[in-house]
Amino acid sequence: TKSAMLLPTTALIDHGSGAMVFSIQDGHARIRPVRTSATLDVGQVEVVDGLAAGDEVVVFGTQQLSDGDPVDVHWQRWARRD
């Protein structure tokens, strides 16, 4: 049996032809189709196909991204520290 993954609903992109996410590959955002099963009431969605364990995905700011855009995965460097 394949186990499902949970992602924040903010990671999902409605692409018209189905759900998509931006995965991060070699420092670039790559659009990737996913199959979802259930949206949970805690702001998470169950992804049952299209991602593998350990895949990194963009969870915020997806509206500003295009396929192939460079992304900074080291957000801790510029995050606010109040």
Side-chain angles (χ1 to χ4, degrees):
T1 352
K2 203 174 187 182
S3 60
M5 289 181 242
L6 296 178
L7 288 180
T9 54
T10 57
L12 286 183
I13 304 159
D14 182 10
H15 201 264
S17 60
M20 306 273 189
V21 297
F22 279 110
S23 68
I24 300 170
Q25 298 172 349
D26 299 321
H28 291 82
R30 299 291 179 197
I31 199 153
R32 187 182 227 178
V34 293
R35 189 165 52 95
T36 60
S37 173
T39 300
L40 308 175
D41 60 355
V42 291
Q44 295 182 321
V45 63
E46 182 180 35
V47 175
V48 294
D49 194 29
L51 291 174
D55 285 349
E56 290 184 295
V57 298
V58 177
V59 296
F60 295 109
T62 57
Q63 304 86 352
Q64 291 84 21
L65 279 179
S66 295
D67 191 41
D69 281 353
V71 292
D72 183 1
V73 296
H74 303 288
W75 59 269
Q76 296 92 341
R77 290 186 298 204
W78 51 265
R80 284 181 54 174
R81 291 181 176 92
D82 291 341

